[in-house]
């Protein structure tokens, strides 16, 4: 197979700082699109992966980036879904088996086939080549795994929707955030701030539970009705038994029992944050009021398109800080220090 060499930012080894390298992209096959990447968001999952916190793969050098927004610059002869010039996005996966029940139901993120969900970086695809992500100038993907970005959204603000946006949209839709429902978002980072915007647009009464009141003004501007500091023990007394749905986006381990105490009878806490260590839960925190603890991972292709269209209609993009590629290591440190409002996005023209 022919390849093209393109520049990218990669971690040469686990825990190592990112540096500029080149990677190979395959020539677009019959059903592929070549995308010129304009922007790539920095997700905390990129940082967990690069730091080896998820303890998995040895696929280094690794180019992170699964919040990709760009423009189609070439299409294979059999492509029908996209045309040259289209504004498209690529999220956390670029392929799946396409044959299992989940793939057929549009839940490609939960593919149970042998191939499994092929992550946008660090995973062997069906051709055996390990994928490389979006901190790069170009990427080639199968047309079925590229999404349309509505014209009403600027590409830089749209990039984070491909992971942060869908990761919150999916549980909010499934657990019916909407009028008359009280929803709490725990952690107002990249994911959490999208949760505030989307839950508000869905019509829910939205509360932010943040470590301090530092982000309160922003939270209310983004659509929250209430904002509380979790560092204040009074928060857990005042709000006991009050939420139908809590979505936990925190990237570190927190005391889940305390948050389960904030659910109303039959309420659900959905875990989307993916910290390194296991979380402990007391059975009594669940059984006393028939509460549920659930998890949710990104969203499938149809739901991701639905989310993009929803965000396009409601004018919802991410609040971003656009950076040059060489600032990526500094940006990682700032994410870890909680110093980002609310998503760093790499301008791919600077790679
Ligand atoms: P982020 O921008 O760093 O936001 C995380 C937020 O969590 C912070 O802004 C902070 O919010 C809060 N937080 C951080 N450390 C904390 C601590 N020690 N105690 C309490 N709160 C703390 O990260 P992100 O990109 O939104 O990602 C969040 C998590 O979701 C990561 O673990 C990521 O890997 C995971 N993730 C999961 C999926 C999925 O499909 N399930 C998809 C993408 C990402 P406040 O300042 O408001 O307290
Ligand atoms: Zn992500």
């Amino acid at each position: 197979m022919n390849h093209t060499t393109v520049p990218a930012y990669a971690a040469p080894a686990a825990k190592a700082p990112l540096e500029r390298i080149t990677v190979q992209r395959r020539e677009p096959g019959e059903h592929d699109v070549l995308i010129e990447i304009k922007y790539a968001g920095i997700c905390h999952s990129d940082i967990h992966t690069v730091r080896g916190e998820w303890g998995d793969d040895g696929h280094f050098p690794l180019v992170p980036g699964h919040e990709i927004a760009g423009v189609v610059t070439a299409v294979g002869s059999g492509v029908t879904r996209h045309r040259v010039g289209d504004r498209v996005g690529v999220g956390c996966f670029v392929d799946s088996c396409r044959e299992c029940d989940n793939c057929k139901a549009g839940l490609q993120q939960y593919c149970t086939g042998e191939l499994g969900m092929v992550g946008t970086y660090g995973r062997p695809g069906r051709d055996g080549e390990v994928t490389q992500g979006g901190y790069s100038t170009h990427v080639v993907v199968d047309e079925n795994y590229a999404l349309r970005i509505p014209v009403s959204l600027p590409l830089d603000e749209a990039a984070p929707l491909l992971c942060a946006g869908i990761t919150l949209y999916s549980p909010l839709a499934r657990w019916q955030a909407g009028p008359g429902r009280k929803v709490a978002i725990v952690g107002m980072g990249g994911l959490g701030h999208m949760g505030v915007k989307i839950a508000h647009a869905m019509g829910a009464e939205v509360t932010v539970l943040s470590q301090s009141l530092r982000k309160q003004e922003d939270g209310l501007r983004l659509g929250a009705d209430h904002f509380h500091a979790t560092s204040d023990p009074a928060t857990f007394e005042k709000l006991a038994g009050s939420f139908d749905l809590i979505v936990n986006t925190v990237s570190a381990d927190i005391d889940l029992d305390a948050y389960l105490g904030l659910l109303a009878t039959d309420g659900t806490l959905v875990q989307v944050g993916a910290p390194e260590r296991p979380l402990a839960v007391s059975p009594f925190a669940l059984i006393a009021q028939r509460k549920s603890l659930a998890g949710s991972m990104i969203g499938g292709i149809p739901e991701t398109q639905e989310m993009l269209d929803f965000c396009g209609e409601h004018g919802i993009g991410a609040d971003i800080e656009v950076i040059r590629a060489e600032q990526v290591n500094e940006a990682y440190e700032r994410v870890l220090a909680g110093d980002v409002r609310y998503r760093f996005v790499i301008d791919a023209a600077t790679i």
Side-chain angles (χ1 to χ4, degrees), residues 2-351:
N2 286 327
H3 288 79
T4 307
T5 303
V6 300
Y9 267 74
K15 298 184 172 66
L18 276 64
E19 56 186 45
R20 192 175 186 278
I21 65 160
T22 56
V23 291
Q24 305 287 310
R25 301 296 191 190
R26 65 176 185 264
E27 289 300 322
E30 193 182 349
H31 292 287
D32 286 338
V33 294
L34 170 64
I35 299 167
E36 183 184 334
I37 298 172
K38 298 290 189 188
Y39 297 98
I42 295 178
C43 177
H44 207 120
S45 301
D46 300 344
I47 303 176
H48 287 307
T49 306
V50 163
R51 299 193 152 218
E53 288 173 358
W54 288 345
D56 47 3
D57 60 285
H59 293 304
F60 290 93
L62 180 135
V63 179
H66 58 209
E67 295 186 336
I68 300 171
V71 174
V72 175
T73 52
V75 296
S77 58
V79 169
T80 56
R81 294 171 65 94
H82 307 287
R83 283 188 242 175
V84 170
D86 282 0
R87 305 158 88 247
V88 292
V90 177
C92 296
F93 56 93
V94 291
D95 204 353
S96 61
C97 86
R98 311 179 191 199
E99 281 158 14
C100 71
D101 289 347
N102 283 348
C103 280
K104 285 186 184 151
L107 296 168
Q108 295 87 350
Q109 77 277 35
Y110 303 128
C111 174
T112 55
E114 209 180 308
L115 183 63
M117 176 193 101
V118 179
T120 302
Y121 54 79
R123 289 281 169 266
R126 60 177 72 220
D127 57 4
E129 288 185 21
V130 174
T131 53
Q132 295 285 21
Y135 299 0
S136 180
T137 57
H138 296 81
V139 66
V140 176
V141 299
D142 184 283
E143 61 170 328
N144 293 300
Y145 294 79
L147 290 305
R148 292 182 307 280
I149 296 180
V151 284
S152 56
L153 297 176
L155 288 181
D156 52 359
E157 292 178 17
L161 301 180
L162 276 302
C163 175
I166 185 60
T167 299
L168 272 291
Y169 181 90
S170 187
L172 290 169
R174 179 168 181 83
W175 281 277
Q176 288 138 10
R181 301 269 286 172
K182 293 187 177 180
V183 175
I185 305 290
V186 188
M188 204 171 86
L191 266 58
H193 98 288
M194 289 310 311
V196 173
K197 293 186 184 204
I198 293 170
H200 173 69
M202 287 175 170
E205 183 178 332
V206 183
T207 298
V208 176
L209 300 173
S210 187
Q211 292 168 93
S212 71
L213 294 179
R214 213 161 42 97
K215 300 175 179 172
Q216 181 168 26
E217 210 175 294
D218 287 349
L220 299 177
R221 173 176 58 81
L222 299 179
D225 300 283
H226 316 281
F227 197 106
H228 297 278
T230 53
S231 53
D232 180 358
T235 293
F236 291 91
E237 287 163 31
K238 264 190 314 216
L239 301 178
S242 57
F243 299 109
D244 302 302
L245 172 65
I246 298 175
V247 184
N248 177 21
T249 76
V250 173
S251 49
D253 27 347
I254 58 172
D255 177 9
L256 278 193
D257 286 351
Y259 291 85
L260 288 166
L262 304 183
L263 287 173
T265 304
D266 285 330
T268 302
L269 188 153
V270 183
Q271 178 70 30
V272 298
E276 185 175 5
R277 284 188 293 274
L279 296 157
V281 176
S282 156
F284 296 99
L286 292 169
I287 62 185
Q289 293 290 325
R290 198 167 58 187
K291 293 170 182 176
S292 301
L293 175 60
S296 185
M297 187 173 76
I298 44 176
I301 292 294
E303 194 174 41
T304 304
Q305 190 62 59
E306 179 186 304
M307 175 277 308
L308 285 167
D309 295 343
F310 177 90
C311 288
E313 276 161 38
H314 290 85
I316 297 175
D319 280 32
I320 54 167
E321 187 176 330
V322 177
I323 60 162
R324 296 179 58 79
E326 65 264 25
Q327 294 172 287
V328 63
N329 293 305
E330 192 191 314
Y332 274 27
E333 292 305 323
R334 286 183 56 195
V335 171
L336 290 168
D339 177 25
V340 49
R341 298 197 175 191
Y342 282 88
R343 201 55 140 187
F344 287 115
V345 172
I346 298 169
D347 178 354
T350 64
I351 297 171

